[in-house]
Structure formats: structure tokens, C-alpha cells
Amino acid sequence: MELLVVVGILVILTVISVPVTARVREYAANIRCVKNLKELGHGIILFTLDNNGRMPPHMENPPGVFFRGQVPSWGPTWGEYIVKIYLNGNKQFFFCPFRPKTWGEAAGYYLDYAYNDRFYPKTSDQSEERLGLIRNTITNPATVILLGDCARYSGTTPVGGYYSMQAADRLFPRHPGSRVNVLYLDLHVENHHYIRTGTLPPVDHPLGTKYFKPQL
């Protein structure tokens, strides 16, 4: 009888501990994702300090005035440059712990985190001499999204990461509960519920276009 009681207690403790352990793992993985976003964000800030306050381009191909040939031609993106120059070449910052196992290497164009390229406005001639916005002139750093969990899609199926975005259509809610992490220009991270519907969220939604537009 005593043995049965002990076994029963162990079974109950096991049943209780399994969901707790799963939640702990999810929490730890989310912390790693937040750390990745913050490290990449710090790298972008360091870039601005080295470039007269200018925000980086999302990519330069052929190599332009900012990256100066310091990234491979197959991946001349902000991520490759920031990691190489400011983060000791550690490409693990490209990998979100919640990324699907079917995705390939997170590098080049296919990062797990997209950069809001509204910080680097396009011009009609697409000249290499285009300049990013000056960070200190942006008046809404706490509400404008800098980086976020992202994907590129084949139809409605996410097939890998991507390096840039201008709106929520590239965001990928890969965290439990259909949630997505986004980093703001002031380097705080928020976790928002998001369901892709094929249309953009309303402008004033936390992931609406309002929050992708730097204000000068």
C-alpha cells in the first residue's frame, strides 16, 4: 500500500511537471529571441555612430557607400554587415529559437528578423548614394518598429526568413499563441498577438502601418 501511495505521488508530480517544464522552455526560448533582437538593434545603433547618425540600408548590391564591399555578393544585407562588423561575426543572432525546423540556414537574405527599410527611403534612381534617416532626428523611437520576427511566404506557407519589411505582411507570428516579437528604435521589445489574414492590420493596430513610419 505504501508503495502504491509513493508511485501515485510520483505520477501526480510527473503530470504536473510536464506542462511547467514546457512553459519554462518556451520562456527561455523567448528570452533568446528577445536577446537576438536587442543585440542586432545595438549593432544598428553602433552603425549609426560610425556613419554620421545615418540608419543602415537594408541591402547594397553592388556594394555601396555604407557596406564598402564588407559583405558577400550573395548576401549584401544589413544583417550580414552588422554581425560581421559589430557582433564578432556571430550568425547565431540570425536564428530565432521558434523558427520551423524545415527552414534552411539563417544568413544572407534569409534572416529570421526583418529590418524596417522605411529607415532607408528609396529614391526613383535607386542610387547607391541614397542616405538613411538620421537616427536622432526621428521623434517616435519608442513607437516605430525597427526589427521583427519575419518570414517569406510561398502562398500562405512560410518557407524561410527575410531581410526587410515595410509593413506587417512579412511578420511571422511563430511564438506560442500566434504572437510575434518586435523591436522598437529605442531598443525595447514587445510581444503582440498577430494573425495573418492576407490584408494588413488597421493603421492604429500595434502592428499597423502607423508603427512602421519614422516621424521626423
Side-chain angles (χ1 to χ4, degrees):
M1 180 64 69
E2 291 177 352
L3 180 60
L4 289 175
V5 170
V6 172
V7 170
I9 292 173
L10 290 175
V11 169
I12 292 172
L13 290 176
T14 300
V15 170
I16 293 173
S17 67
V18 168
V20 171
T21 301
R23 287 196 295 272
V24 169
R25 287 176 178 170
E26 287 179 0
Y27 180 73
N30 189 63
I31 288 177
R32 290 200 300 275
C33 178
V34 170
K35 179 182 178 181
N36 289 348
L37 284 166
K38 285 182 173 287
E39 290 289 344
L40 292 169
H42 280 295
I44 289 175
I45 299 305
L46 292 174
F47 176 96
T48 66
L49 295 176
D50 286 343
N51 289 275
N52 300 314
R54 298 282 181 180
M55 298 294 290
H58 61 233
M59 67 172 291
E60 284 188 338
N61 194 11
V65 296
F66 283 135
F67 295 163
R68 306 175 187 90
Q70 293 296 306
V71 291
S73 60
W74 50 265
T77 62
W78 68 273
E80 289 283 348
Y81 185 82
I82 294 299
V83 162
K84 179 177 181 179
I85 303 301
Y86 299 108
L87 300 177
N88 297 318
N90 186 359
K91 293 187 178 182
Q92 289 304 308
F93 293 124
F94 293 159
F95 288 83
C96 174
F98 291 98
R99 72 196 317 267
K101 294 181 180 179
T102 56
W103 287 10
E105 182 183 2
Y109 299 109
Y110 308 127
L111 320 178
D112 289 351
Y113 305 106
Y115 168 58
N116 178 8
D117 67 9
R118 291 176 185 260
F119 289 103
Y120 189 68
K122 297 178 176 64
T123 58
S124 59
D125 64 0
Q126 296 295 296
S127 167
E128 287 185 11
E129 301 301 324
R130 287 176 293 139
L131 297 176
L133 300 179
I134 298 177
R135 179 172 63 93
N136 290 339
T137 64
I138 297 170
T139 61
N140 61 334
T143 60
V144 62
I145 293 171
L146 177 62
L147 304 173
D149 292 328
C150 76
R152 71 187 193 281
Y153 292 85
S154 175
T156 59
T157 303
V159 294
Y162 206 62
Y163 62 92
S164 72
M165 60 183 172
Q166 281 205 338
D169 56 349
R170 287 231 182 255
L171 292 178
F172 177 33
R174 55 180 166 242
H175 294 262
S178 293
R179 303 188 72 85
V180 59
N181 282 337
V182 291
L183 176 78
Y184 293 81
L185 184 56
D186 70 345
L187 300 186
H188 83 276
V189 174
E190 293 184 9
N191 180 267
H192 295 291
H193 182 261
Y194 176 53
I195 303 244
R196 292 187 80 248
T197 62
T199 59
L200 293 177
V203 173
D204 289 330
H205 182 277
L207 299 175
T209 54
K210 171 183 176 181
Y211 296 97
F212 286 83
K213 294 181 180 178
Q215 298 170 8
L216 302 177

